[in-house]
C-alpha cells in the first residue's frame, strides 16, 4: 500500500466529499426552487393553478430519482474492472454534461430528459467514491468512509443549497444549475490532483456484480431503504410551499429552513457512520423509530415557525442517521459485489426520492394540503422499520455463512 501523509489523505477525502456537495446541490436545489421552476417552465399551468403547477414541476425531482435508479446498478456492473479513481473522474464528466443540459434545455419535457441523464452517474459516484474513502480511512471504518462522502451532501444542504436557492430566486433557476455544473468541474479537477490510484476489486467482473442481484437479502435491504426513506423526500420535496403557504413565512425564509434540514443531516450522518461501525443492527432498529417520531412532530408542529425549523432539523437528522447504516448493510449482504452494493443504496434512496415526491404531489393535488405528505411519510417509515426487522431476523444464526462476510478486503492503494 502506498504511504500517504495525513495531509494528503485528508485532502483526498475532502475532494471526494466536495463531489458529494455537488451531487447534493444538483439533487436538492430543485426542491427549494420548485415554485420558480413551475412559474418559468409551466407559465400557463401556473397561471391557472400554482398548486397544480408546483405538483407537476415535482416530476423534475422524480425524473432525477429515476435516473439514479437506472444508472447505479447499470454503471456498477459495466465498470467492475475500472480502477476507482478513473471511474470517479468519468462519472464527474457525465455530471458536468448532464447538469449543463438541465440548465439550457428549452422545454419542460427536455428538462425532464436532461435531469434523468444528469442523474445516471449519481449512485455509482457515491458507490465508487465511498469505497475510495473507505480505503483511505483503513479497515474497520467502512461506514465512516461512506459517511465522509455523504458529509459533502449534508454540507450542501447546510450552505450550498440555501445559497444556490437564493441565487436562483434572485436571478433564474437556470443560472443556479449552471453554477452547479461549475462545482462539478471544480470537483473533477480536485479529484484528479489529490486522489491516489486505487485498483478495482480483485476478481471484480460484471458477472460478480450482477450476481448480487440474485440474493433475496439484497432486495429486502434495498426495499427497506426505498420505502423507509420515502417519507423524508415526501416532506423535503415540498418544503418551499410548506414554508410559505402553511407556516405563512416569506419565500426568503425557505433557504433558512433548508439550512435547518442540512444541519440535521450533517449531525445525523456523522452519528450514523460512527454508530454503524460499532453496532449495525442496533443503528437501524433505533433509526427508524426516530424517523417516525420526527415526522409525526413535523406534521403536528410545522404550521408554527418554531415547529417548522425544529421539525426540519429532526427529519434531516434522523433520516441521515440511517444513510451510512443502510450503505454498510447493503455491502454486508453483497460481499462479493461491493460496488453494486454501494450503488444499490443510492438506487434505493432515489426510489425513495421518486416515491416520496410522487406520493407527496399526489396527496397535495387531491386537496389534502401541503402537510399531508408528512403523514404519508409516517406510514412509509413504519413499513421500513418492519422490513428492517424482517431482514435481520432472516440473517443466519448463530454464525453467518462464509459468503455473508467479505472474503476480500477493500482494494489497496496503488
Amino acid at each position: 500500500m502506498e504511504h500517504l501523509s495525513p495531509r494528503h489523505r485528508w485532502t483526498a477525502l475532502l475532494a471526494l466529499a466536495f463531489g458529494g456537495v455537488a451531487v447534493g446541490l444538483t439533487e436538492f436545489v430543485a426542491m427549494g426552487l420548485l415554485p420558480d421552476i413551475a412559474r418559468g417552465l409551466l407559465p400557463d399551468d401556473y397561471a391557472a393553478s400554482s398548486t397544480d403547477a408546483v405538483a407537476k414541476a415535482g416530476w423534475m425531482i422524480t425524473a432525477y430519482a429515476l435516473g439514479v435508479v437506472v444508472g447505479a446498478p447499470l454503471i456498477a456492473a459495466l465498470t467492475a474492472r475500472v480502477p476507482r479513481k478513473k471511474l470517479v473522474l468519468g462519472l464527474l464528466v457525465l455530471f458536468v454534461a448532464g447538469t449543463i443540459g438541465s440548465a439550457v434545455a428549452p422545454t419542460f419535457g427536455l428538462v425532464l430528459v436532461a435531469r434523468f441523464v444528469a442523474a445516471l452517474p449519481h449512485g455509482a459516484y457515491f458507490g465508487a467514491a465511498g469505497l475510495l474513502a473507505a480505503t483511505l480511512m483503513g479497515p474497520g471504518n467502512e461506514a465512516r468512509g461512506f459517511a465522509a462522502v455523504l458529509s459533502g451532501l449534508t454540507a450542501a444542504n447546510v450552505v450550498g443549497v440555501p445559497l444556490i436557492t437564493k441565487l436562483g430566486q434572485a436571478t433564474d433557476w437556470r443560472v443556479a444549475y449552471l453554477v452547479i455544473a461549475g462545482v462539478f468541474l471544480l470537483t473533477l479537477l480536485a479529484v484528479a490532483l489529490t486522489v491516489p490510484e486505487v485498483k478495482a476489486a480483485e476478481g471484480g467482473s460484471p458477472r460478480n456484480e450482477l450476481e448480487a442481484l440474485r440474493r433475496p437479502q439484497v432486495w429486502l435491504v434495498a426495499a427497506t431503504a426505498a420505502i423507509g426513506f420515502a417519507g423524508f423526500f415526501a416532506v423535503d420535496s415540498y418544503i418551499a410551499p410548506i414554508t410559505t403557504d402553511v407556516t405563512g413565512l416569506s419565500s426568503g425564509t425557505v433557504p433558512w429552513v433548508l439550512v435547518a434540514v442540512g444541519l440535521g443531516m450533517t449531525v445525523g450522518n456523522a452519528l450514523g457512520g460512527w454508530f454503524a461501525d460499532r453496532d449495525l443492527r442496533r443503528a437501524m432498529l433505533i433509526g427508524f423509530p426516530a424517523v417516525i417520531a420526527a415526522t409525526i412532530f413535523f406534521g403536528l408542529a410545522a404550521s408554527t415557525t418554531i415547529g417548522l425549523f425544529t421539525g426540519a432539523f429532526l427529519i434531516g437528522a434522523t433520516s441521515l442517521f440511517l444513510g451510512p447504516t443502510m450503505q454498510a448493510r447493503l455491502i454486508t449482504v453483497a460481499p462479493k459485489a461491493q460496488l453494486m452494493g454501494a450503488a444499490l443504496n443510492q438506487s434505493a434512496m432515489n426510489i425513495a426520492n421518486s416515491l416520496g415526491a410522487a406520493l407527496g404531489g399526489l396527496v397535495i393535488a387531491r386537496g389534502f394540503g401541503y402537510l399531508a405528505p408528512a403523514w404519508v411519510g409516517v406510514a412509509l417509515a413504519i413499513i421500513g422499520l418492519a422490513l428492517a426487522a424482517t431482514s435481520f431476523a432472516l440473517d443466519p444464526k448463530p454464525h453467518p455463512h462464509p459468503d455473508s462476510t467479505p472474503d476480500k478486503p477493500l482494494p489497496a492503494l496503488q
Side-chain angles (χ1 to χ4, degrees):
M1 177 184 292
E2 176 187 345
H3 175 72
L4 296 179
S5 68
R7 181 178 179 181
H8 187 178
R9 189 181 306 275
W10 285 105
T11 302
L13 287 169
L14 285 173
L16 294 170
F18 196 56
V21 172
V23 176
L25 293 176
T26 199
E27 181 174 17
F28 289 106
V29 156
M31 296 169 182
L33 291 175
L34 270 186
D36 304 88
I37 293 168
R39 192 181 304 113
L41 277 177
L42 303 165
D44 294 338
D45 292 345
Y46 194 86
S49 171
S50 61
T51 300
D52 289 348
V54 169
K56 185 175 180 180
W59 283 100
M60 241 179 98
I61 299 169
T62 302
Y64 184 90
L66 292 174
V68 180
V69 172
V70 172
L74 181 63
I75 294 175
L78 294 177
T79 59
R81 293 193 177 99
V82 178
R84 299 273 159 79
K85 178 179 178 179
K86 183 177 180 181
L87 173 56
V88 167
L89 291 174
L91 295 171
L92 288 167
V93 170
L94 187 54
F95 269 127
V96 172
T99 308
I100 290 175
S102 301
V104 302
T107 66
F108 182 62
L110 289 176
V111 168
L112 292 182
V113 172
R115 295 311 294 150
F116 179 86
V117 172
L120 292 174
H122 176 124
Y125 177 83
F126 276 109
L131 290 169
L132 268 173
T135 302
L136 289 168
M137 296 186 78
N141 292 301
E142 284 77 11
R144 275 180 285 181
F146 286 102
V149 178
L150 284 172
S151 71
L153 186 148
T154 64
N157 280 276
V158 175
V159 180
V161 171
L163 287 177
I164 299 296
T165 299
K166 275 186 171 292
L167 175 66
Q169 289 174 336
T171 56
D172 187 272
W173 68 269
R174 296 182 185 275
V175 173
Y177 278 100
L178 287 175
V179 172
I180 295 168
V183 177
F184 275 119
L185 183 58
L186 289 175
T187 302
L188 175 66
L189 296 174
V191 170
L193 292 173
T194 65
V195 176
E197 297 290 345
V198 176
K199 297 177 182 179
E202 187 178 345
S205 69
R207 180 177 179 179
N208 284 344
E209 296 291 334
L210 291 171
E211 189 73 21
L213 300 180
R214 297 181 61 182
R215 289 173 171 259
Q217 273 281 42
V218 168
W219 289 105
L220 182 55
V221 176
T224 302
I227 296 173
F229 275 90
F232 169 77
F233 291 105
V235 174
D236 202 44
S237 297
Y238 301 97
I239 204 72
I242 289 171
T243 300
T244 56
D245 291 22
V246 175
T247 317
L249 302 175
S250 70
S251 60
T253 311
V254 172
W256 295 107
V257 180
L258 295 174
V259 168
V261 175
L263 287 172
M265 293 170 71
T266 301
V267 172
N269 177 63
L271 290 176
W274 181 86
F275 210 134
D277 278 330
R278 282 157 178 77
D279 193 328
L280 181 57
R281 182 177 185 275
R282 182 175 295 180
M284 286 182 65
L285 297 182
I286 288 174
F288 274 111
V291 170
I292 293 165
T295 311
I296 290 173
F297 176 85
F298 186 92
L300 293 173
S303 58
T304 68
T305 301
I306 293 176
L308 173 66
F309 278 90
T310 304
F313 175 88
L314 291 174
I315 286 178
T318 55
S319 297
L320 260 290
F321 177 87
L322 285 168
T325 302
M326 295 300 307
Q327 187 80 81
R329 177 65 174 159
L330 265 169
I331 291 177
T332 299
V333 299
K336 295 181 180 180
Q338 291 178 338
L339 184 57
M340 180 65 76
L344 277 177
N345 187 51
Q346 293 302 314
S347 284
M349 294 292 186
N350 282 271
I351 289 175
N353 192 337
S354 177
L355 180 64
L359 290 178
L362 178 64
V363 294
I364 290 169
R366 294 269 180 138
F368 291 103
Y370 284 120
L371 282 182
W375 304 108
V376 173
V378 171
L380 292 169
I382 290 172
I383 297 172
L385 174 61
L387 291 173
T390 301
S391 173
F392 282 112
L394 293 175
D395 277 347
K397 295 172 181 173
H399 299 293
H401 188 275
D403 284 346
S404 68
T405 56
D407 53 355
K408 293 184 176 66
L410 290 171
L413 300 175
Q414 289 182 329

